[in-house]
Amino acid sequence: MIPITKHGIVLKKTDLSFENDSVLNPGIYQEGNTIHMLYRAVRNGNYSTIGYCKLDGPLKVVERNNTPLMIPYSEDASKGIEDPRIVKIDGVYYVTYTAYNGINALGALATSTDLITFERGGIIVPKFTFDEFKRLAECNNLVNAKYFRHVRHFQASEEVFLWDKDVLFFPRKINGKLVFLHRIRPGIQLVMVNSLEELTKEYWNQYFLHLNEHIVMDPIGINHESGYIGAGAPPIETEQGWLLIYHGVYDTSEGYVYSAAAALLDLNDPTKVIARLVEPLFVPEFDYELNGVVNNVVFPTGTALFDDTLYIYYGAADKCIACASVSLKELLNELLLNKVNYES
Protein backbone atom coordinates (compact mmCIF):
# COMPACT_ATOMS: atom_id res chain seq x y z
CA MET A 1 0.00 0.00 0.00
CA ILE A 2 0.99 3.62 -0.46
CA PRO A 3 2.56 5.53 2.43
CA ILE A 4 0.27 7.65 4.59
CA THR A 5 1.50 10.43 6.86
CA LYS A 6 -0.48 11.10 10.04
CA HIS A 7 -0.14 14.74 11.11
CA GLY A 8 -1.95 14.32 14.41
CA ILE A 9 -4.63 16.52 15.93
CA VAL A 10 -5.50 19.76 14.14
CA LEU A 11 -8.40 20.96 16.30
CA LYS A 12 -9.56 20.15 19.84
CA LYS A 13 -12.55 21.11 21.93
CA THR A 14 -12.44 24.31 24.00
CA ASP A 15 -14.11 25.54 27.18
CA LEU A 16 -16.63 27.50 25.12
CA SER A 17 -20.13 26.28 25.90
CA PHE A 18 -20.99 25.24 22.34
CA GLU A 19 -17.93 22.99 21.91
CA ASN A 20 -16.97 21.86 25.40
CA ASP A 21 -17.62 18.17 24.69
CA SER A 22 -15.91 17.51 21.35
CA VAL A 23 -15.16 18.75 17.84
CA LEU A 24 -15.19 16.41 14.85
CA ASN A 25 -16.08 15.63 11.22
CA PRO A 26 -15.18 18.87 9.42
CA GLY A 27 -16.27 20.16 6.04
CA ILE A 28 -13.33 21.65 4.14
CA TYR A 29 -13.25 24.28 1.41
CA GLN A 30 -9.90 25.38 -0.01
CA GLU A 31 -9.19 28.78 -1.58
CA GLY A 32 -5.53 28.85 -2.57
CA ASN A 33 -3.49 28.60 0.61
CA THR A 34 -6.53 29.27 2.81
CA ILE A 35 -8.71 26.49 4.20
CA HIS A 36 -12.18 27.16 5.52
CA MET A 37 -13.12 24.50 8.06
CA LEU A 38 -16.74 24.05 9.10
CA TYR A 39 -16.82 21.49 11.87
CA ARG A 40 -19.27 19.73 14.13
CA ALA A 41 -19.08 21.33 17.56
CA VAL A 42 -20.68 19.35 20.39
CA ARG A 43 -21.60 20.73 23.78
CA ASN A 44 -22.21 18.68 26.91
CA GLY A 45 -25.42 16.73 26.47
CA ASN A 46 -24.67 15.77 22.85
CA TYR A 47 -26.11 18.85 21.15
CA SER A 48 -24.31 19.82 17.93
CA THR A 49 -23.86 23.07 16.04
CA ILE A 50 -21.44 24.01 13.24
CA GLY A 51 -18.28 25.86 14.23
CA TYR A 52 -15.82 27.66 11.98
CA CYS A 53 -12.08 28.12 11.78
CA LYS A 54 -9.59 29.19 9.13
CA LEU A 55 -6.26 27.59 8.34
CA ASP A 56 -3.21 29.08 6.65
CA GLY A 57 -1.85 26.14 4.72
CA PRO A 58 -2.93 22.61 5.52
CA LEU A 59 -2.30 22.52 9.27
CA LYS A 60 -1.99 25.98 10.87
CA VAL A 61 -5.15 27.35 12.49
CA VAL A 62 -5.05 31.16 12.30
CA GLU A 63 -8.65 32.12 13.09
CA ARG A 64 -11.48 30.48 15.04
CA ASN A 65 -14.95 31.73 15.86
CA ASN A 66 -16.03 31.80 19.49
CA THR A 67 -19.70 31.28 18.58
CA PRO A 68 -21.34 28.77 16.22
CA LEU A 69 -21.44 29.57 12.52
CA MET A 70 -24.71 27.65 12.09
CA ILE A 71 -27.31 26.54 14.63
CA PRO A 72 -30.46 24.41 14.33
CA TYR A 73 -33.55 26.32 13.24
CA SER A 74 -36.28 23.68 12.89
CA GLU A 75 -37.84 20.77 14.75
CA ASP A 76 -36.07 18.41 12.34
CA ALA A 77 -32.82 19.45 14.02
CA SER A 78 -34.02 19.97 17.58
CA LYS A 79 -31.10 17.91 18.93
CA GLY A 80 -28.47 19.40 16.64
CA ILE A 81 -26.90 19.70 13.20
CA GLU A 82 -24.00 17.38 12.49
CA ASP A 83 -21.15 16.46 10.14
CA PRO A 84 -21.02 19.30 7.57
CA ARG A 85 -19.59 18.95 4.07
CA ILE A 86 -19.02 21.87 1.74
CA VAL A 87 -18.51 22.55 -1.97
CA LYS A 88 -18.87 25.63 -4.18
CA ILE A 89 -20.94 25.38 -7.37
CA ASP A 90 -21.43 28.37 -9.69
CA GLY A 91 -20.45 30.84 -6.98
CA VAL A 92 -22.67 29.33 -4.28
CA TYR A 93 -21.46 27.35 -1.27
CA TYR A 94 -23.49 24.20 -0.69
CA VAL A 95 -23.23 23.10 2.95
CA THR A 96 -24.82 19.76 3.68
CA TYR A 97 -25.27 18.38 7.18
CA THR A 98 -27.32 15.90 9.18
CA ALA A 99 -30.37 17.24 11.00
CA TYR A 100 -31.01 15.23 14.16
CA ASN A 101 -34.10 15.45 16.38
CA GLY A 102 -33.26 12.63 18.77
CA ILE A 103 -35.02 10.04 16.61
CA ASN A 104 -34.44 10.85 12.96
CA ALA A 105 -31.12 11.66 11.27
CA LEU A 106 -31.67 13.17 7.82
CA GLY A 107 -29.52 15.00 5.29
CA ALA A 108 -30.16 18.72 4.95
CA LEU A 109 -28.79 21.68 2.99
CA ALA A 110 -27.88 25.30 3.53
CA THR A 111 -26.44 27.63 0.89
CA SER A 112 -24.36 30.78 1.15
CA THR A 113 -22.45 33.21 -1.02
CA ASP A 114 -20.13 34.45 1.74
CA LEU A 115 -19.98 31.81 4.51
CA ILE A 116 -21.46 34.42 6.85
CA THR A 117 -25.17 34.28 6.14
CA PHE A 118 -26.97 31.10 5.10
CA GLU A 119 -30.19 30.24 3.38
CA ARG A 120 -31.66 27.06 4.82
CA GLY A 121 -32.92 24.56 2.28
CA GLY A 122 -34.08 22.06 4.87
CA ILE A 123 -34.20 18.28 4.52
CA ILE A 124 -33.34 17.17 0.97
CA VAL A 125 -33.44 13.40 1.46
CA PRO A 126 -36.67 11.37 1.57
CA LYS A 127 -38.87 11.27 4.65
CA PHE A 128 -39.97 7.67 4.25
CA THR A 129 -40.76 5.13 6.92
CA PHE A 130 -38.84 1.89 6.73
CA ASP A 131 -41.98 0.05 5.66
CA GLU A 132 -42.53 2.50 2.79
CA PHE A 133 -38.91 2.12 1.70
CA LYS A 134 -38.97 -1.68 1.95
CA ARG A 135 -42.19 -2.00 -0.04
CA LEU A 136 -40.70 -0.05 -2.94
CA ALA A 137 -37.08 -1.25 -2.86
CA GLU A 138 -38.00 -4.93 -2.70
CA CYS A 139 -39.98 -4.76 -5.94
CA ASN A 140 -37.20 -5.67 -8.36
CA ASN A 141 -35.38 -8.04 -6.00
CA LEU A 142 -31.99 -6.61 -7.03
CA VAL A 143 -31.07 -4.80 -3.81
CA ASN A 144 -28.59 -6.05 -1.21
CA ALA A 145 -30.56 -7.76 1.59
CA LYS A 146 -28.63 -5.68 4.14
CA TYR A 147 -30.78 -2.69 3.17
CA PHE A 148 -33.67 -4.38 4.93
CA ARG A 149 -31.75 -5.22 8.10
CA HIS A 150 -30.19 -1.86 8.99
CA VAL A 151 -33.17 -0.45 10.85
CA ARG A 152 -33.33 1.54 14.07
CA HIS A 153 -36.33 0.81 16.27
CA PHE A 154 -38.12 3.42 18.37
CA GLN A 155 -41.44 3.70 20.12
CA ALA A 156 -44.31 3.18 17.71
CA SER A 157 -45.85 6.46 18.86
CA GLU A 158 -42.97 8.42 17.35
CA GLU A 159 -42.68 9.53 13.72
CA VAL A 160 -39.74 7.45 12.60
CA PHE A 161 -38.08 7.83 9.20
CA LEU A 162 -35.41 5.84 7.42
CA TRP A 163 -32.04 7.30 8.38
CA ASP A 164 -30.35 8.99 5.41
CA LYS A 165 -27.01 10.66 6.17
CA ASP A 166 -23.61 11.56 4.68
CA VAL A 167 -25.06 13.86 2.04
CA LEU A 168 -22.44 15.63 -0.07
CA PHE A 169 -22.47 17.34 -3.45
CA PHE A 170 -20.05 16.91 -6.31
CA PRO A 171 -18.15 20.23 -6.75
CA ARG A 172 -19.61 20.94 -10.19
CA LYS A 173 -22.62 20.02 -12.26
CA ILE A 174 -22.32 16.86 -14.35
CA ASN A 175 -24.03 16.94 -17.73
CA GLY A 176 -25.83 20.07 -16.54
CA LYS A 177 -27.23 18.40 -13.42
CA LEU A 178 -26.69 18.81 -9.69
CA VAL A 179 -25.30 15.58 -8.25
CA PHE A 180 -25.04 14.45 -4.66
CA LEU A 181 -24.24 11.29 -2.75
CA HIS A 182 -26.18 10.10 0.27
CA ARG A 183 -26.14 7.06 2.50
CA ILE A 184 -28.94 4.69 3.37
CA ARG A 185 -27.19 1.80 5.08
CA PRO A 186 -25.33 -0.19 4.06
CA GLY A 187 -24.25 1.50 0.79
CA ILE A 188 -23.72 4.81 -0.97
CA GLN A 189 -26.34 6.11 -3.38
CA LEU A 190 -26.41 8.95 -5.92
CA VAL A 191 -28.97 11.57 -6.95
CA MET A 192 -28.73 13.54 -10.21
CA VAL A 193 -31.37 16.25 -10.85
CA ASN A 194 -31.82 19.46 -12.84
CA SER A 195 -33.09 21.23 -9.74
CA LEU A 196 -33.58 20.31 -6.10
CA GLU A 197 -37.25 21.18 -6.56
CA GLU A 198 -37.54 17.82 -8.35
CA LEU A 199 -37.06 15.99 -5.05
CA THR A 200 -40.75 15.35 -4.43
CA LYS A 201 -42.48 12.36 -2.83
CA GLU A 202 -43.18 11.01 -6.32
CA TYR A 203 -39.50 11.40 -7.28
CA TRP A 204 -38.44 9.31 -4.28
CA ASN A 205 -41.13 6.72 -4.99
CA GLN A 206 -39.61 6.14 -8.42
CA TYR A 207 -36.08 6.34 -7.01
CA PHE A 208 -36.73 3.55 -4.51
CA LEU A 209 -38.56 1.44 -7.09
CA HIS A 210 -35.30 1.43 -9.06
CA LEU A 211 -32.90 1.76 -6.14
CA ASN A 212 -30.37 -0.67 -7.63
CA GLU A 213 -29.76 1.84 -10.46
CA HIS A 214 -28.80 4.55 -7.96
CA ILE A 215 -26.44 2.56 -5.72
CA VAL A 216 -22.86 3.64 -6.34
CA MET A 217 -21.23 1.15 -4.00
CA ASP A 218 -22.26 -1.42 -1.43
CA PRO A 219 -19.90 -2.84 1.18
CA ILE A 220 -17.84 -5.78 0.02
CA GLY A 221 -16.93 -8.78 2.10
CA ILE A 222 -13.45 -7.66 3.13
CA ASN A 223 -12.95 -6.90 6.78
CA HIS A 224 -12.61 -3.12 6.94
CA GLU A 225 -15.99 -2.43 5.28
CA SER A 226 -17.89 -5.66 5.77
CA GLY A 227 -20.58 -3.89 7.80
CA TYR A 228 -21.47 -0.73 5.89
CA ILE A 229 -19.91 2.24 4.12
CA GLY A 230 -20.66 5.94 3.77
CA ALA A 231 -19.60 8.89 1.66
CA GLY A 232 -16.81 10.92 3.21
CA ALA A 233 -15.30 13.96 1.51
CA PRO A 234 -16.73 15.63 -1.62
CA PRO A 235 -15.33 13.92 -4.72
CA ILE A 236 -12.15 15.32 -6.25
CA GLU A 237 -12.02 15.67 -10.03
CA THR A 238 -8.94 14.12 -11.62
CA GLU A 239 -8.09 13.09 -15.18
CA GLN A 240 -8.65 9.46 -14.19
CA GLY A 241 -12.06 10.05 -12.61
CA TRP A 242 -13.73 11.35 -9.46
CA LEU A 243 -11.65 10.41 -6.43
CA LEU A 244 -13.93 9.51 -3.54
CA ILE A 245 -12.58 9.23 -0.01
CA TYR A 246 -15.17 7.37 2.07
CA HIS A 247 -15.45 5.42 5.31
CA GLY A 248 -15.87 1.72 5.86
CA VAL A 249 -17.17 0.06 9.03
CA TYR A 250 -16.92 -3.42 10.45
CA ASP A 251 -18.17 -4.90 13.69
CA THR A 252 -16.06 -6.47 16.40
CA SER A 253 -16.71 -7.82 19.87
CA GLU A 254 -15.65 -4.38 21.17
CA GLY A 255 -17.84 -2.38 18.79
CA TYR A 256 -17.56 -0.84 15.35
CA VAL A 257 -14.24 0.11 13.75
CA TYR A 258 -14.26 2.98 11.22
CA SER A 259 -11.53 3.29 8.60
CA ALA A 260 -10.84 5.51 5.58
CA ALA A 261 -11.12 4.05 2.07
CA ALA A 262 -10.85 5.25 -1.53
CA ALA A 263 -12.53 4.65 -4.88
CA LEU A 264 -12.52 6.17 -8.37
CA LEU A 265 -15.78 7.01 -10.16
CA ASP A 266 -16.44 7.72 -13.83
CA LEU A 267 -16.34 11.44 -14.65
CA ASN A 268 -19.50 11.45 -16.75
CA ASP A 269 -21.44 8.71 -14.98
CA PRO A 270 -20.36 8.55 -11.33
CA THR A 271 -22.63 5.57 -10.66
CA LYS A 272 -19.89 3.61 -12.44
CA VAL A 273 -16.97 2.61 -10.22
CA ILE A 274 -13.66 2.47 -12.07
CA ALA A 275 -11.46 1.35 -9.21
CA ARG A 276 -11.64 0.67 -5.49
CA LEU A 277 -8.92 -0.04 -2.96
CA VAL A 278 -9.06 -3.54 -1.52
CA GLU A 279 -7.34 -2.46 1.70
CA PRO A 280 -8.23 0.60 3.80
CA LEU A 281 -6.43 3.84 3.08
CA PHE A 282 -5.78 4.26 6.80
CA VAL A 283 -7.16 2.91 10.06
CA PRO A 284 -7.31 3.92 13.74
CA GLU A 285 -3.87 3.37 15.25
CA PHE A 286 -2.96 6.24 17.60
CA ASP A 287 -4.51 6.96 20.98
CA TYR A 288 -6.50 9.96 19.71
CA GLU A 289 -8.12 7.64 17.12
CA LEU A 290 -8.54 4.61 19.35
CA ASN A 291 -9.96 6.24 22.50
CA GLY A 292 -12.56 8.97 22.72
CA VAL A 293 -16.29 9.59 22.71
CA VAL A 294 -16.60 6.67 20.27
CA ASN A 295 -13.53 4.46 20.14
CA ASN A 296 -11.77 3.20 16.99
CA VAL A 297 -12.90 5.89 14.56
CA VAL A 298 -11.30 7.70 11.65
CA PHE A 299 -14.12 9.44 9.76
CA PRO A 300 -12.92 11.43 6.71
CA THR A 301 -15.10 14.37 5.65
CA GLY A 302 -12.89 16.88 3.82
CA THR A 303 -9.74 17.25 1.74
CA ALA A 304 -7.31 19.91 0.53
CA LEU A 305 -4.65 19.63 -2.17
CA PHE A 306 -1.25 21.33 -1.93
CA ASP A 307 0.88 20.49 -4.97
CA ASP A 308 0.74 16.68 -5.15
CA THR A 309 -0.07 16.19 -1.47
CA LEU A 310 -3.68 15.40 -0.60
CA TYR A 311 -4.57 16.29 2.98
CA ILE A 312 -7.49 14.33 4.41
CA TYR A 313 -9.28 15.79 7.44
CA TYR A 314 -11.21 13.47 9.68
CA GLY A 315 -12.96 13.06 12.98
CA ALA A 316 -10.84 10.99 15.35
CA ALA A 317 -12.70 8.88 17.93
CA ASP A 318 -15.57 11.41 17.72
CA LYS A 319 -13.43 13.63 19.97
CA CYS A 320 -11.15 15.81 17.86
CA ILE A 321 -10.16 16.65 14.28
CA ALA A 322 -7.01 15.14 12.80
CA CYS A 323 -5.31 15.09 9.42
CA ALA A 324 -3.48 12.56 7.26
CA SER A 325 -1.81 13.06 3.89
CA VAL A 326 -0.92 11.02 0.84
CA SER A 327 0.59 11.63 -2.58
CA LEU A 328 -2.32 12.15 -4.98
CA LYS A 329 -0.34 10.63 -7.84
CA GLU A 330 0.56 7.54 -5.84
CA LEU A 331 -3.02 7.12 -4.64
CA LEU A 332 -4.40 7.30 -8.18
CA ASN A 333 -1.77 4.86 -9.43
CA GLU A 334 -2.66 2.45 -6.65
CA LEU A 335 -6.35 2.75 -7.45
CA LEU A 336 -5.73 1.99 -11.12
CA LEU A 337 -4.05 -1.24 -10.03
CA ASN A 338 -7.35 -2.15 -8.38
CA LYS A 339 -9.86 -1.72 -11.18
CA VAL A 340 -13.20 -3.36 -10.49
CA ASN A 341 -15.62 -5.30 -12.63
CA TYR A 342 -18.38 -6.08 -10.11
CA GLU A 343 -20.25 -2.77 -10.54
CA SER A 344 -22.33 -2.24 -13.66
Side-chain angles (χ1 to χ4, degrees), residues 34-253:
T34 298
I35 290 176
H36 302 281
M37 178 184 286
L38 283 63
Y39 59 90
R40 178 178 171 186
V42 187
R43 76 183 188 204
N44 291 336
N46 192 31
Y47 180 86
S48 298
T49 56
I50 305 301
Y52 172 84
C53 71
K54 184 183 293 185
L55 281 66
D56 180 20
L59 301 171
K60 182 181 179 182
V61 177
V62 293
E63 181 181 322
R64 185 172 182 179
N65 288 5
N66 59 12
T67 57
L69 181 69
M70 295 172 58
I71 61 174
Y73 75 102
S74 69
E75 285 302 311
D76 289 321
S78 60
K79 297 297 183 181
I81 54 178
E82 306 174 350
D83 305 347
R85 274 80 155 189
I86 180 173
V87 300
K88 193 176 187 180
I89 305 171
D90 297 336
V92 177
Y93 295 100
Y94 285 67
V95 180
T96 49
Y97 58 91
T98 297
Y100 181 57
N101 68 359
I103 297 172
N104 300 306
L106 297 169
L109 171 69
T111 56
S112 176
T113 57
D114 56 13
L115 292 184
I116 298 173
T117 58
F118 294 85
E119 181 176 344
R120 305 303 180 100
I123 304 297
I124 62 171
V125 297
K127 284 187 173 182
F128 274 57
T129 67
F130 175 74
D131 287 341
E132 288 177 305
F133 164 76
K134 185 172 186 287
R135 175 174 55 83
L136 294 165
E138 276 186 330
C139 284
N140 60 25
N141 202 33
L142 295 173
V143 177
N144 188 330
K146 284 187 176 182
Y147 280 89
F148 310 122
R149 296 201 295 266
H150 278 286
V151 189
R152 294 176 181 269
H153 297 283
F154 297 91
Q155 294 295 326
S157 60
E158 304 288 354
E159 189 174 39
V160 182
F161 298 121
L162 185 73
W163 278 31
D164 195 337
K165 305 175 65 175
D166 296 330
V167 175
L168 53 91
F169 279 80
F170 283 69
R172 67 166 174 84
K173 292 181 178 179
I174 300 176
N175 301 320
K177 296 179 181 291
L178 288 168
V179 185
F180 66 85
L181 300 173
H182 64 122
R183 198 282 303 281
I184 296 170
R185 286 188 185 182
I188 299 170
Q189 304 85 38
L190 180 141
V191 170
M192 183 177 290
V193 289
N194 293 304
S195 166
L196 297 180
E197 294 176 357
E198 295 178 24
L199 301 176
T200 62
K201 183 85 170 182
E202 178 55 30
Y203 173 91
W204 291 115
N205 278 330
Q206 292 300 314
Y207 187 93
F208 287 147
L209 276 171
H210 306 280
L211 181 62
N212 59 300
E213 299 174 11
H214 305 291
I215 296 171
V216 178
M217 293 190 298
D218 276 339
I220 50 182
I222 54 180
N223 198 42
H224 74 280
E225 58 177 62
S226 57
Y228 58 91
I229 59 177
I236 302 161
E237 186 171 9
T238 75
E239 292 182 357
Q240 289 79 14
W242 293 103
L243 172 62
L244 178 65
I245 305 298
Y246 66 99
H247 66 267
V249 185
Y250 73 96
D251 202 2
T252 72
S253 60

Side-chain angles (χ1 to χ4, degrees), residues 253-273:
S253 60
E254 298 180 353
Y256 286 128
V257 177
Y258 285 71
S259 58
L264 202 58
L265 312 179
D266 185 87
L267 285 177
N268 294 311
D269 181 3
T271 61
K272 294 181 178 178
V273 179

